[in-house]
Amino acid sequence: QVQLVESGGGLVQAGDSLTLSCAASFGWYAMGWFRQAPGKEREFVAAVTWRSGTKEYADSVKGRFTISRDARSSTISLQMNSLKPEDTAIYYCAATLTNSRYLKTVPYDYWGQGTQVTVSS
């Protein structure tokens, strides 16, 4: 059974840092993070391919967020620095088997249940 298990969400203040992690039950072509704020559509945040380590970020998080992968533990992490109130959202881990260089738009096959990140001003 496929499982994506997120952890690491919480309540922080603006300017703080937070790390999210997602453990996968088996290998994928790529894994990523999406987020959905109240009243807004879900949006891409970052993704990384397992084999080559190619990364892609949303413009809104470039320079502040870093995605990484650990092949030994089949885990990806999202290091979030300089958090802003507008980063407040439910963050979802996602995984895809589709080989594509367009990590923002490739269909993702499986999703985690989400973890809440709240940034207070």
Side-chain angles (χ1 to χ4, degrees):
Q1 182 178 356
V2 176
Q3 284 188 316
L4 298 177
V5 181
E6 303 117 330
S7 62
L11 171 63
V12 297
Q13 294 186 333
D16 285 351
S17 297
L18 201 61
T19 301
L20 305 181
S21 296
C22 177
S25 56
F26 61 87
W28 303 90
Y29 172 73
M31 292 181 67
W33 291 96
F34 289 73
R35 66 186 182 186
Q36 187 167 20
K40 295 187 177 181
E41 293 186 352
R42 185 171 60 194
E43 64 176 359
F44 172 84
V45 176
V48 60
T49 59
W50 272 111
R51 181 166 294 182
S52 66
T54 300
K55 301 176 183 180
E56 189 167 347
Y57 296 94
D59 289 341
S60 59
V61 305
K62 281 181 181 177
R64 299 189 299 123
F65 291 11
T66 302
I67 191 169
S68 60
R69 75 199 194 293
D70 184 335
R72 289 183 304 172
S73 61
S74 296
T75 300
I76 63 166
S77 297
L78 185 68
Q79 174 67 41
M80 305 184 292
N81 297 327
S82 303
L83 282 162
K84 305 175 182 179
E86 50 263 44
D87 294 318
T88 295
I90 298 175
Y91 283 70
Y92 296 92
C93 176
T96 181
L97 290 169
T98 303
N99 186 329
S100 171
R101 61 177 177 163
Y102 302 108
L103 297 181
K104 285 184 182 179
T105 56
V106 65
Y108 283 80
D109 304 289
Y110 290 94
W111 297 80
Q113 293 188 330
T115 185
Q116 177 70 48
V117 173
T118 303
V119 185
S120 64
S121 57

